[in-house]
Amino acid sequence: MGCAVMSGIVVLVVGVVLLAVGGGLLWWGRKTQAKTDLMRSVATASAADVPRLLPGELTEVKGTIRCDSPLTSPEARTPCVWYRSEVKQEYEEREKDSDGNWRTSRGSETVSSNEESAPFFVEDATGRVRIDPANAEIDAPTLVDRFEQQPSGVPAGLSVNVGGLTIGGGRRTLGYRHTERLLAVGTPVYILGAVRESGEIGALPEGAHGHFIISHRSEETLTRSWGRTARRLGYAAAACLALGAVAAAVGLVLLVL
């Protein structure tokens, strides 16, 4: 196989990959922008107004989280209505590259993950409305981010350190990172969801268009943040698509020549 043909294949593959990445970024950006546009188009209702809305109607409410039987998060030990706790192993891995040289890289992997939610109320000046958080897109702050170093004397991998020189390859555990995000009782919250026949707010009916969002951030903060993200994704997608198209065209030309 000629050098030009090999070069053409490589450049063509690079072009196809860039086009695929650009398409993915474009889809993500449009999805993020759609959420922003939806939030701007849906009217805010007070807790007292929600029972008068039609079942299936999208609405947004703003208030404070209240719960008669809250959860207790396992890490922060905080009364809450939703939490996600994760433990990740952080490690160094030493291996040979294709040239036979040793290289060391760092990585992590999730070793445990736990998520739990409970129904709660959003309370404002007019009353309270019940929220079923199942299947919601949760935007919650991180209350725990703790790194526990690997204890001394615990086997750490296949590599051996002799006089400062590491012999052999394998993975060496550095430690474990504990993180926990949660929505605590008493937190101001923004809700965008569908009204149910019972008068509570929850996920949209199957097949319905829209989003179910629960966030500790205000509507204004969310729309600004997601709007910026959508624009950046759009710019990145345009760059990838343009470069991918050029690379694919050059690759095809090299293959034809």
Side-chain angles (χ1 to χ4, degrees):
M1 187 177 294
C3 182
V5 174
M6 283 295 298
S7 298
I9 292 174
V10 171
V11 175
L12 180 59
V13 169
V14 170
V16 171
V17 170
L18 285 171
L19 289 172
V21 171
L25 291 173
L26 186 63
W27 171 84
W28 188 10
R30 286 181 174 177
K31 184 177 180 180
T32 303
Q33 186 61 52
K35 287 193 296 184
T36 303
D37 294 339
L38 180 65
M39 290 169 61
R40 288 172 175 156
S41 66
V42 174
T44 302
S46 67
D49 290 336
V50 171
R52 293 192 285 269
L53 300 177
L54 296 174
E57 185 175 350
L58 277 177
T59 190
E60 57 184 29
V61 293
K62 304 170 184 178
T64 304
I65 292 176
R66 304 296 184 200
C67 187
D68 298 328
S69 301
L71 307 168
T72 299
S73 64
E75 290 281 351
R77 308 303 300 170
T78 300
C80 62
V81 296
W82 177 89
Y83 70 82
R84 177 180 291 164
S85 297
E86 286 188 342
V87 179
K88 288 187 176 183
Q89 177 195 31
E90 297 190 3
Y91 59 85
E92 280 187 347
E93 196 161 27
R94 192 166 184 268
E95 56 187 1
K96 284 185 177 181
D97 59 23
S98 57
D99 297 324
N101 299 316
W102 288 100
R103 65 180 184 87
T104 301
S105 60
R106 293 190 62 163
S108 66
E109 64 180 18
T110 301
V111 295
S112 69
S113 180
N114 185 30
E115 179 177 336
E116 194 173 356
S117 64
F120 62 95
F121 295 92
V122 169
E123 184 178 80
D124 63 16
T126 68
R128 53 168 53 182
V129 57
R130 191 174 187 269
I131 309 295
D132 178 5
N135 300 316
E137 179 180 340
I138 305 287
D139 174 42
T142 299
L143 264 67
V144 175
D145 187 352
R146 183 181 74 258
F147 181 74
E148 294 182 354
Q149 193 170 1
Q150 172 80 349
S152 59
V154 176
L158 300 177
S159 57
V160 179
N161 190 285
V162 180
L165 177 65
T166 303
I167 302 173
R171 178 178 294 186
R172 183 173 72 89
T173 299
L174 301 174
Y176 295 88
R177 184 167 297 278
H178 299 249
T179 60
E180 188 171 80
R181 297 167 51 223
L182 60 88
L183 289 172
V185 175
T187 300
V189 72
Y190 165 83
I191 310 283
L192 171 64
V195 180
R196 294 178 175 170
E197 291 186 3
S198 60
E200 70 179 9
I201 295 176
L204 282 66
E206 187 175 353
H209 176 71
H211 296 272
F212 180 26
I213 299 169
I214 301 177
S215 175
H216 73 289
R217 292 183 286 176
S218 68
E219 179 182 7
E220 295 74 21
T221 301
L222 277 178
T223 53
R224 283 197 305 270
S225 175
W226 287 349
R228 285 195 302 267
T229 299
R231 287 192 297 273
R232 290 168 181 168
L233 289 170
Y235 297 148
C240 286
L241 291 172
L243 291 172
V246 171
V250 171
L252 289 173
V253 169
L254 291 173
L255 288 174
V256 171
L257 293 179

